């Protein structure tokens, strides 16, 4: 995802007076800018960085939805709406089958050791931002078991 596209969509949401959408996109843009400053690449923000931040924001909002008390239905609905808006911009993640295929193809030698920590270390560098960590962990456990 390009940062420029997020900005355009934010302006479109402002013009449409869509407050929830504008705030959701705005929070992602702010998080991307902060991450870019932290990594020292303010001028040249890569798509990979934007995707990584979008996934992180999605995870944060998902936690808000999950931990919100049921009696606060208004707040829960707001978090859910934000989650859905942010997920529109999220990169498509690999499924468990796709992760398994990548692991057996590229990391057969590491998997042969049956050392879960070593496997995770090797695999996460390759699949970070391409697949959910929980899915990767599950597939690695399956292959080690």
């Amino acid at each position: 995802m390009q940062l420029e596209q997020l900005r355009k969509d934010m302006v479109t949401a402002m013009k449409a007076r869509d407050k929830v959408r504008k705030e959701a996109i705005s929070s992602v843009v702010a998080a991307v800018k902060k991450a870019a400053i932290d990594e020292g690449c303010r001028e040249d923000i890569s798509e990979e960085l934007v995707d990584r931040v979008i996934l992180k924001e999605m995870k944060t909002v998902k936690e808000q939805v999950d931990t919100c008390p049921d009696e606060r239905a208004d707040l829960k609905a707001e978090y859910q709406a934000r989650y859905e808006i942010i997920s529109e911009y999220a990169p498509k993640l690999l499924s468990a089958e796709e992760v398994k295929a990548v692991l057996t193809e590229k990391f057969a030698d590491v998997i042969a050791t049956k050392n879960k920590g070593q496997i995770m270390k090797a695999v996460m560098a390759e699949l970070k931002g391409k697949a959910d960590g929980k899915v990767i962990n599950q597939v690695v456990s399956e292959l080690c078991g």
Side-chain angles (χ1 to χ4, degrees):
M1 173 60 58
Q2 295 272 336
L3 181 61
E4 202 48 50
Q5 182 62 46
L6 283 170
R7 285 189 178 130
K8 284 179 188 167
D9 290 355
M10 187 172 74
V11 170
T12 305
M14 282 179 189
K15 288 179 181 173
R17 296 200 179 351
D18 187 344
K19 187 177 177 221
V20 175
R21 187 171 191 81
K22 186 217 108 177
E23 285 177 0
I25 298 171
S26 175
S27 70
V28 172
V29 170
V32 168
K33 287 179 182 176
K34 183 184 180 315
I37 290 169
D38 291 348
E39 293 183 17
C41 59
R42 256 168 77 176
E43 302 305 315
D44 184 36
I45 299 174
S46 68
E47 283 189 40
E48 186 271 331
L49 174 71
V50 176
D51 286 344
R52 203 171 60 217
V53 171
I54 289 171
L55 289 172
K56 188 174 181 207
E57 286 294 301
M58 249 178 77
K59 188 176 178 185
T60 304
V61 175
K62 181 76 176 136
E63 285 173 8
Q64 287 176 322
V65 170
D66 293 343
T67 59
C68 186
D70 289 334
E71 57 269 10
R72 291 297 311 268
D74 56 330
L75 202 55
K76 199 167 195 149
E78 186 182 315
Y79 290 151
Q80 188 62 43
R82 283 187 64 182
Y83 178 77
E84 287 163 10
I85 292 165
I86 294 171
S87 62
E88 290 173 24
Y89 296 99
K92 188 185 174 304
L93 298 177
L94 298 174
S95 68
E97 293 80 36
E98 292 169 316
V99 169
K100 193 171 189 173
V102 171
L103 295 183
T104 51
E105 184 183 311
K106 291 188 176 178
F107 298 99
D109 53 334
V110 183
I111 292 171
T113 65
K114 298 266 190 236
N115 180 337
K116 190 174 174 187
Q118 194 177 4
I119 297 168
M120 286 300 287
K121 191 174 180 183
V123 170
M124 285 308 282
E126 174 80 19
L127 296 179
K128 189 171 179 85
K130 296 178 186 168
D132 188 352
K134 289 178 186 171
V135 173
I136 296 169
N137 193 1
Q138 181 185 341
V139 172
V140 169
S141 296
E142 205 176 280
L143 293 171
C144 287

